[in-house]
Amino acid sequence: MNTRDVVIFSGQRFQVPQCIQRIDHLSTHGWQLRYGGTKLYSDHSNDGSGAKRALALATKELLKRIATLPAPSRLRRTPSRKKQSDLPSGISGPIVRQRAGSRVRDCSFAVTLPRFGKTPLARSVYIGTENTYTIERYQEALARAVELREKAEEAYQRAATRARRAEALVLKTQFKDLLAAAR
């Protein structure tokens, strides 16, 4: 998990994990956790003396949330506003093409299958030729395409969560001394 160096208003330096932000505004001083919702961990001081303990509490809660919540996903769940069809996100079509040497055109859906940490796969779901195309075949192919996409999204989510939890274990050892201050 990424960390960054943060200098607070009092001049103290802290290594801060991703998903935790510093809030210093008028009478509010603390660390805001932004993972599975937000929560502010106040310094309970105006001079920043409680910043270390507040960061330790925020980091402890971050690790707890990572262990119990699925990782945030960057996958698009809804179609883009610019998409001109009513097909779900990641599915395009029907695509009509005539292959070399063929006398009839065929029709299919293009499905993008996301893979965590890798480039997405492109798959085609066959509907039929211009002689065999029917509404029923269209609907069956669309159902297969949606099922392929949903399975890929679930696998992506599982892999993202697994990776985030592995990062949290590294973070836990990296911040072992700080977490001891949270007790």
Side-chain angles (χ1 to χ4, degrees), residues 2-3 22-23 53 62 70 72 76 81 90 97 110 113 115 122-123 130 138 149 167-168 174:
N2 295 334
T3 61
R22 181 67 187 173
I23 306 291
R53 177 163 167 70
L62 173 63
R76 181 178 289 279
R81 287 180 290 133
R97 65 179 151 228
L113 304 177
R115 299 185 304 165
R123 292 291 180 254
E130 59 189 332
Y138 173 92
R149 174 71 182 190
E167 290 174 355
Q174 186 178 359

Side-chain angles (χ1 to χ4, degrees), residues 3 15-17 59 170-180:
T3 61
Q15 275 300 114
V16 181
T59 304
V170 172
L171 182 71
K172 193 173 188 176
T173 59
Q174 186 178 359
F175 283 81
K176 182 173 49 174
D177 295 336
L178 179 69
L179 292 171

